[in-house]
Amino acid sequence: MSFTYRRQYRGPIKAVVFDMAGTVIDYGSQAPAASFVELFKKRNIEITTAQARKPMGLHKRDHIREILAMTEVDHQWRKKRGGAPTEEDLETMYREFVPIQVACLPMHGTLIPGAAKIYETLHARNVKIGVTTGYTKIMLDIALEYAGKQHFIPDAAFCADDVPRGRPAPWMIYKCLEQLKIYPPEAVVKVGDTIPDIEEGLNAGVWTVGVAKTGNMIGLSVQETAKLHPEELDTRLRKAYNGLYRSGAHFVVDGISDLIRVVNKVESRLAAGEKP
Amino acid sequence: MSFTYRRQYRGPIKAVVFDMAGTVIDYGSQAPAASFVELFKKRNIEITTAQARKPMGLHKRDHIREILAMTEVDHQWRKKRGGAPTEEDLETMYREFVPIQVACLPMHGTLIPGAAKIYETLHARNVKIGVTTGYTKIMLDIALEYAGKQHFIPDAAFCADDVPRGRPAPWMIYKCLEQLKIYPPEAVVKVGDTIPDIEEGLNAGVWTVGVAKTGNMIGLSVQETAKLHPEELDTRLRKAYNGLYRSGAHFVVDGISDLIRVVNKVESRLAAGEKP
Amino acid sequence: MSFTYRRQYRGPIKAVVFDMAGTVIDYGSQAPAASFVELFKKRNIEITTAQARKPMGLHKRDHIREILAMTEVDHQWRKKRGGAPTEEDLETMYREFVPIQVACLPMHGTLIPGAAKIYETLHARNVKIGVTTGYTKIMLDIALEYAGKQHFIPDAAFCADDVPRGRPAPWMIYKCLEQLKIYPPEAVVKVGDTIPDIEEGLNAGVWTVGVAKTGNMIGLSVQETAKLHPEELDTRLRKAYNGLYRSGAHFVVDGISDLIRVVNKVESRLAAGEKP
Amino acid sequence: MSFTYRRQYRGPIKAVVFDMAGTVIDYGSQAPAASFVELFKKRNIEITTAQARKPMGLHKRDHIREILAMTEVDHQWRKKRGGAPTEEDLETMYREFVPIQVACLPMHGTLIPGAAKIYETLHARNVKIGVTTGYTKIMLDIALEYAGKQHFIPDAAFCADDVPRGRPAPWMIYKCLEQLKIYPPEAVVKVGDTIPDIEEGLNAGVWTVGVAKTGNMIGLSVQETAKLHPEELDTRLRKAYNGLYRSGAHFVVDGISDLIRVVNKVESRLAAGEKP
Amino acid sequence: MSFTYRRQYRGPIKAVVFDMAGTVIDYGSQAPAASFVELFKKRNIEITTAQARKPMGLHKRDHIREILAMTEVDHQWRKKRGGAPTEEDLETMYREFVPIQVACLPMHGTLIPGAAKIYETLHARNVKIGVTTGYTKIMLDIALEYAGKQHFIPDAAFCADDVPRGRPAPWMIYKCLEQLKIYPPEAVVKVGDTIPDIEEGLNAGVWTVGVAKTGNMIGLSVQETAKLHPEELDTRLRKAYNGLYRSGAHFVVDGISDLIRVVNKVESRLAAGEKP
Amino acid sequence: MSFTYRRQYRGPIKAVVFDMAGTVIDYGSQAPAASFVELFKKRNIEITTAQARKPMGLHKRDHIREILAMTEVDHQWRKKRGGAPTEEDLETMYREFVPIQVACLPMHGTLIPGAAKIYETLHARNVKIGVTTGYTKIMLDIALEYAGKQHFIPDAAFCADDVPRGRPAPWMIYKCLEQLKIYPPEAVVKVGDTIPDIEEGLNAGVWTVGVAKTGNMIGLSVQETAKLHPEELDTRLRKAYNGLYRSGAHFVVDGISDLIRVVNKVESRLAAGEKP
C-alpha cells in the first residue's frame, strides 16, 4: 500500500477560450471605454479614459461600482449630487449603460488582425473554440454576429449574465468546457487582454495567455497605436507585459496572431509532464 | 519582459465534495448493487454482485449499458431473448431500475461511521460541503433526506441528471463549486469510493481521496466486513487501495473517518507550493 | 491515451546496507591501512598511511593496483626492483596481503560506538540489515564473527569475492537485496565511510549516507581522535564531510550512532514523494 | 558543512532489457495462453483464453497458482474433483505444463515485426541487449535459439529459474546488468507486454516501456489483429495503453518497432536531469 | 563524464538585510512622504500623499523624477511654470529635498514595534544584520544614529549614494554581503516595505520578505492605523499583501515582529533543498 | 492573501565572466605554475608542478600559504630552514612572487584557440564580457594588454587586489556585474578552469562552466597535450571533468571554443523556468 501514482496529462490542447473585446474584436477595447465615459458624462461627472479602463474585464455592473468607488469620482459625485452614490444609482446606471454600449458596438466590431487565421488554424487542428466575456447577453449576441460575419464562429460562448458572478470567478469557463465536453483543464488555454481574464483562467486551472498590445492594457486603436512614438509604445508595452505577467499569466503576446506559437509551447510543456 | 510569475495557492482547503453511497451513507454500497441484480433477474438474466459492481460510480443509465456489454451477460441475453439488447431495452430497464433502487434506499440510508463527526469538524473549520453522485434526482433527494436526519447536511448537491454527462466528467463538481462560490480548484478535495469518483476529481483539477473499505471496492456491509477472515480482508483491502491509487488518487483511506488527517496533509502540501 | 501515471514509493525504509571496516567495526579503518603499509614494506617500498588509505573501499586487489600506480610508488619500485610492477607482482602481492590483514583483524574487531544500538533499533523497526565490503570472503567471515559476538548480526552479507567487480559497481548491494527479498531501491539506505561506498549506493539507486569521523576519511583510532586538537579535528572533519558530500552522498554524519535520525529524514522525504 | 551535491546521470542509454513472448517473438503472446488452456483441459477444467492470460508475465508456477485461485476455476475444480486444489496438484500441473508449452513453442518463434531492426540499431549505438522472461530455462533456450536464427542475439538472458522469485521482483534485471557490467539503473530501459514487466522495471529503478498491441494485452496474432474491426481494435488498444500506463510505465508503444523514438526521448529527459 | 552534481545550500540563514524607513524605523514611512509633498508645495505644485508614495523605495533623485513624470503633476507644472520640468529643475529639487527630509527625520526615528527584539534574536542566532536604503548618506547616518540609540545597530549599512544605481538594482545588497563576508545568496534574507525592496532582493538572488502593514503600502502612522475601521484596514492590507506577493516576495508579513517565524520557514525550505 | 507568485527569469544570457589564465590566455595555465616552482627553488625547496598547481584559482598570497601547508613542503622547509614558515616568510615570498610571474607572463600571453571567436560572437549577441582573476593588479593589466592585442577586450575586469577576499568568495563577480549594470544573476555565466572558479560562480548565484582541457586541471601546453598518448589524455580528461563536475559546475567543456553551445543550452533551461 506504499505506492502512489501521479496522473499527468501529456496530450494536445483541446480547447481555447477567448475573451472578445480587445482580444478577438475591437482593437484597443474602445467600445466599453468610450461608453463608460459617456455614461458618467450624462450625470455631469468627468472621468478619464484611464479611469474608465481600470476595472476592465469585470461584469459591467461591477465595473460601474468600481468607478464609483474611485476617490476622485466619489468626490465629484458628492459635490455635484449632494450625497454618496446608492445601490439604486448603480442599478439605474447599469440599465442606462447597456443601450449606450450597444449603440457603439457596430463601430467596434472589426476582428483584430490575425483572429480569422487563428480560428481557422485551431479548427483545422481540431481544437474547440470557446468565448467568455464581461459583456451582457445582448452585447455578446451583437459581438458574435459581427465576428461570425468575419468567419470567427465559436463553438460555445458565455457572458457575465449566464453566471452568478463574473470574472475573476471561473464559472464562465466551466460552462464553456461543459458545453464543449472538454476536460481536463490542463488541455485548455484561456486568452484575454485584462488581468481579470488571466485570473479567470488561473482560477479554472487552465493555461493563460495575456494579450498586451491589442486590448485594454494599451487601450489604443490600430491607428492610434501606429502614431505612437516607438519609444513610448515600447514603454507602454513593457508595462502591459509586466502587468499581465505579474498576475500569473503563463505567456504574454502582442496579440492573438502570436497564439499558435504559444499553443505549441504549451503542448511541449504538457509533453514534458508540466501542469498549468 | 523576461520575468514570468508563477501563481501558487498556499491557503487552506475551502470545500470538500463527497460521493454519497459507499462514502457518506450505505456502508459497502449495498443499495445499487442489489438493485442491479434484481433488475436483470426480472429479465431472467443472472448477474453476480461482482458484475453488478464493476461499473459503479457512473450514471445509472451508463451503468446498465456497461453490464449489458459484458460478454457473459450479452451471451445470456442473446440466448434467452433471441437477439442483442437494443437502445430501447436499455431505456426501459433504466426506467424500471429507478423505482427498484428507490424502494431499497430506506434500508441503506445509515451514515457510515465517522460521517457525522467529519461533517461537524469541517463546518467548524469553515469548509463547505458539496455532494456529487451517480444517483438520479429522486434517489439523491431520498439519500439527502436520510443523511439530513443524521445531521449530515451538504451546502450543495448535484446528481447525474443535472449535467449532460456523469462521471468521469467533472461537470457535477463544477456545479458544486459555482454554487458554493469556491475557487481555485487547488482549494478543493473530492472524496469517493470508486475509480470514476477519483477521475471526476482529477478531471476537475482538485485533490482526490479514495475510500477503500467502506464502499464499492470491498462491497460488504459492516457486518459482512467484520466476519471476514483478517487475512482475506487484508488481501481485499490491498487490492482496493491499489486500484484507487493506480487511478491517480492523491490519498486513499479506509473510510471518511480518516479524512481530517488527509485534509491536514493537503494543507501542508499547499503551503509547500504543491498543486494537486 | 494521453495520461501517464508516475509511480512514487511513499512507504518506510525496509533495509539498511552497511560497509564493515570504519563503519560498523574498526574505528578509523585501521586494519586495512596498516596491512597495506606492511605489504609494501616487505618489498622494501615505503608508503605513507595516507597513500595506503587513498583507494579504500575498493576490492583489495584493485586497491593494491591503485597504490602501485601512484607516481612516487612506481618510482621507488622501478628504482629498487629494476622495472615496472607486472600483473604477476600484483597477483603475488594480493595473495600475500590476505594473511597479513587476516592476522591483524582480531585487533580491530571492536564495534564502533553506537553500532549495537543501531542494530537493535533497526531490527525493532523491522528493517533488514545487509553488509557489503571490499574484504575477501575469509576476512568478511572473521569480521562477521567478531561483530556477531558483539550482537551485530546482519541478515545478509556479501564481499568483493562474490561479484565480478567490487565497488563502485552495485552488484553486492543487488545480491543483498535479492537475498533479503527487498525492493524497490527507494526503500533502501547504504551507509559507508568511503567515496566508493557512496558511489556503490548511488549506482544501485538507493539512498546513501557517508560516515565522516569513524572511518577512513579521518583514519584515526578513538584514542588518536580524542588526542587531536579540536581545531585540527574540525578542519579534517570539514574536509571529510565535503569529500563525501561531493561524491553525491544524500547525508553525511559523524558515525552510525546518528543513523536513526537520518532514516527518519529519508522516510519524510519518501512521504513527500522524493526519490534518492 | 552546508552544501549537498545531487548526482544526476546525463549520459546515454547503455542497455535495453526485453521480455521475450509478446515483445520480441510470438506476436500476441500465443504460446503460453494456448498451453494453459490445454493444461486445464487435461483435468477437465474449462478456462477461457482471457482467464489464461490474466496472470501473464509471472513465473509459470505462480501463473498456474493464480488461475487455480480464480473463483470460477476453483468452483469447477471442487465440483469435478471433489476438493480444493493442493500444493501437490500445483506442482504436478507445473511439471506437466513445461512439455506442453515446449511443444508449441516452435509454432510461435517468429520475431515480431521490427525486432531485428531494433536489435541492429541498438547494437550500432553500442547499447547492450538483455532478456528477462517468465519462461523456464528450457523454454528460454528454445526461444533464444529461434530468435538467434532470425538475428536477435541478446548479450545476456535470464529466466524465472535463475532467481528466487520471478516478476514483479527485479532480480532478473539485476542479473542482466551484472553480466552486462552496466550501471547506473538510470541508463537502462525495460520493455515488456505485461503489467508485471513494467513493475519489474520500476522495482529495479530503470525506465519502463509497455508494448500494447503485439503482446498479451490484446492477445491476438498478426492475422487476428488485422481482421479486427478498426473501432474494436481502437477500443482494445485504448484499454491496453491505459492498463500499462496505470501500472506506471514511462512510455507505451504499439510494438518494439517504435522503440528507438522512445530511447531518444529517454535520453532527452536524462540530459534534462530527470530520473526514471 | 556523464554525471553532474547539483550543489544545494542546506545550512542556516547567515544574514538579514533590512530596509530602514517603514521597515525598521518610521512606522508608515511618514518622513519621506511628507517631505515630497512639502518639496512640491514650495514650487506651488499640489501632490497627494498617494502620489508622493508611489515611487517609494527608489533613490530619492529617481523618486522626484517619477513624480514629475506623473500626468497630473506634469500638467500643473506646465500650467504654473510655463514649460516642462528640466534636468536642472530635478537637480535643484533634489538638493532642496535633502535638508527638508533631514529636518523631519527626528520626528520619525522611533523603531517599529518588534525591531529591537528581532535585532536581539537574530544576533543571538549569529545572524548578521545589514541595511540598504534609498536614503542619502546624511539621512542614513541620522537614521542609524536614532536606531542605534534604541539598540538596533546593523553590522553593515549602505545607501543609494554608495552605488551607481539604487533599487531595484542589487548593488547595495552586494556591498553589504561583501562587508559582512557572507555567501552564498541562498543564506540571505532581504526585508522591506516596498516593491523595489522586493525586486532588489530578487535581483540579488536572496530570499525576500515584504512588510505590508508598517510601511509605505499602508502609509499610516501607528495612531492612524489604530483609528482605521477594521474592514477598511482589512481591504488595504489585502491590497498591500497582494501587491508585494505579485512582485515575487517569498513571504509577506504585517511587520518585522513576524520575521523570526519566516526565517525559520526559510531554513526549513533550505533544508529541503529549495532555492530562493 | 493566499497566493504567492514565483518570479522566473526567462530571458537571454546578458553577461559572461571569464577567468584569464588557462581559460582565455595561457593554454595549460603555465605561467603561474612555473613561477611557484621557481619561487620555492630560490629558497632551496623542491616542489612538483602538481603541488604548485593544487591551489590554483585562489589569490596568489593564499596560494603560497596553501603550498607551505603541504606536509612534504612543510617537512623540507623545517629541515632546511630550521623552523616552520612564518607569516613574515609568506609576505616576503608573496612580494618576491609578483615580479617572477610578471617576468614570465609575456611567454604565456597567447589566446587559447577559440577565444577571439567567442569574444566576437558574444559581443554580436549583445552579451557583456567580464573578467575575474586570482592575479594581482599588475599581472591583470599585462594579461589584458596581451589579450587586447589579440582582440579580446572585456567590458569589465577585476582581480584579487580589488576585493577583501579572492575566490571562492563571489565579490569579484559582484563588482563586474555592478560595473556592467547586469542583473539578475540567472542571466550570467561564469567560466573558469579551476574548482575555486566554479565555486566563485556558485557563490554568486550564476551559471558555471568548467574548462577541463586547456587549463590547470590538465596543466599542459598545446604541444605537450598533443604529444600525450590518447589513452592517457582520455584518463586525465575524465579526471578533470569529474573534478569540475563534483564541485557543482553546471557544464564542463574541453575549452572555451565550446562555449556558445553551452550558452544556448543555458538559455533553453532559462526558457524552461530553471534557475542555476
Side-chain angles (χ1 to χ4, degrees), chain F residues 81-109:
Chain F
R81 308 183 62 92
T86 64
E87 272 300 301
E88 221 183 329
D89 290 324
L90 172 65
E91 206 46 51
T92 320
M93 290 181 80
Y94 175 59
R95 276 198 311 270
E96 273 175 41
F97 173 76
V98 178
I100 297 177
Q101 173 146 14
V102 165
C104 81
L105 282 176
M107 295 171 305
H108 300 289

Side-chain angles (χ1 to χ4, degrees), chain B residues 216-249:
Chain B
N216 190 64
M217 299 299 279
I218 301 286
L220 299 176
S221 69
V222 183
Q223 293 74 23
E224 290 165 340
T225 309
K227 272 186 228 150
L228 219 55
H229 190 286
E231 211 168 284
E232 173 65 16
L233 177 59
D234 194 64
T235 306
R236 291 206 199 171
L237 262 180
R238 195 183 304 263
K239 217 180 136 191
Y241 268 83
N242 204 13
L244 290 163
Y245 271 133
R246 287 196 180 210
S247 67

Side-chain angles (χ1 to χ4, degrees), chain B residues 195 199 246-247, chain D residues 195 199 246-247:
Chain B
I195 291 172
E199 292 180 331
R246 287 196 180 210
S247 67
Chain D
I195 290 172
E199 292 180 332
R246 288 199 181 205
S247 67

Side-chain angles (χ1 to χ4, degrees), chain B:
Chain B
M1 304 180 188
S2 305
F3 292 111
T4 62
Y5 293 77
R6 186 164 181 74
R7 196 180 84 163
Q8 294 169 306
Y9 177 72
R10 300 194 187 240
I13 285 301
K14 297 180 181 175
V16 177
V17 179
F18 292 91
D19 168 65
M20 285 303 280
T23 305
V24 170
I25 57 167
D26 189 8
Y27 197 108
S29 200
Q30 305 283 303
S35 305
F36 285 113
V37 172
E38 195 182 329
L39 174 69
F40 278 84
K41 202 174 218 167
K42 287 198 168 183
R43 267 163 181 67
N44 210 15
I45 313 284
E46 304 270 339
I47 65 169
T48 64
T49 317
Q51 288 169 329
R53 285 183 180 285
K54 197 102 189 275
M56 202 67 79
L58 301 183
H59 188 291
K60 298 310 174 198
R61 185 187 283 106
D62 296 337
H63 193 137
I64 299 169
R65 194 197 315 273
E66 292 282 317
I67 296 177
L68 286 169
M70 292 171 181
T71 323
E72 300 85 343
V73 178
D74 184 72
H75 234 79
Q76 286 189 51
W77 188 283
R78 286 167 191 268
K79 218 159 81 185
K80 296 190 179 154
R81 310 182 61 93
T86 63
E87 273 300 301
E88 221 184 325
D89 291 324
L90 173 64
E91 205 48 49
T92 322
M93 289 182 80
Y94 174 58
R95 276 199 311 270
E96 275 175 38
F97 174 75
V98 177
I100 296 178
Q101 174 146 14
V102 165
C104 82
L105 280 177
M107 295 171 304
H108 300 289
T110 310
L111 284 193
I112 287 171
K117 181 73 184 306
I118 286 298
Y119 175 81
E120 206 182 298
T121 313
L122 291 176
H123 253 229
R125 281 170 72 158
N126 209 15
V127 177
K128 295 286 176 201
I129 310 287
V131 154
T132 69
T133 174
Y135 275 1
T136 60
K137 192 88 188 74
I138 304 173
M139 299 178 203
L140 172 57
D141 287 345
I142 299 172
L144 288 177
E145 196 197 320
Y146 279 91
K149 283 182 190 157
Q150 298 163 82
H151 308 295
F152 187 98
I153 308 160
D155 303 297
F158 290 91
C159 70
D161 287 356
D162 296 319
V163 287
R165 254 200 74 200
R167 294 170 187 148
W171 322 133
M172 293 190 292
I173 291 180
Y174 284 175
K175 284 216 142 38
C176 268
L177 297 184
E178 182 181 320
Q179 179 166 320
L180 299 173
K181 299 193 169 48
I182 297 273
Y183 57 84
E186 296 98 299
V188 177
V189 173
K190 169 73 207 291
V191 192
D193 69 324
T194 67
I195 291 172
D197 276 297
I198 301 305
E199 292 180 331
E200 179 197 18
L202 294 175
N203 290 335
V206 309
W207 298 92
T208 53
V209 184
V211 162
K213 192 177 174 187
T214 70
N216 190 64
M217 299 299 279
I218 301 286
L220 299 176
S221 69
V222 183
Q223 293 74 23
E224 290 165 340
T225 309
K227 272 186 228 150
L228 219 55
H229 190 286
E231 211 168 284
E232 173 65 16
L233 177 59
D234 194 64
T235 306
R236 291 206 199 171
L237 262 180
R238 195 183 304 263
K239 217 180 136 191
Y241 268 83
N242 204 13
L244 290 163
Y245 271 133
R246 287 196 180 210
S247 67
H250 296 93
F251 300 89
V252 182
V253 293
D254 276 11
I256 54 168
S257 62
D258 302 314
L259 193 65
I260 296 305
R261 196 172 44 79
V262 169
V263 169
N264 293 340
K265 275 193 195 174
V266 171
E267 292 191 343
S268 299
R269 285 167 70 170
L270 284 172
E274 266 192 67
K275 304 209 170 212

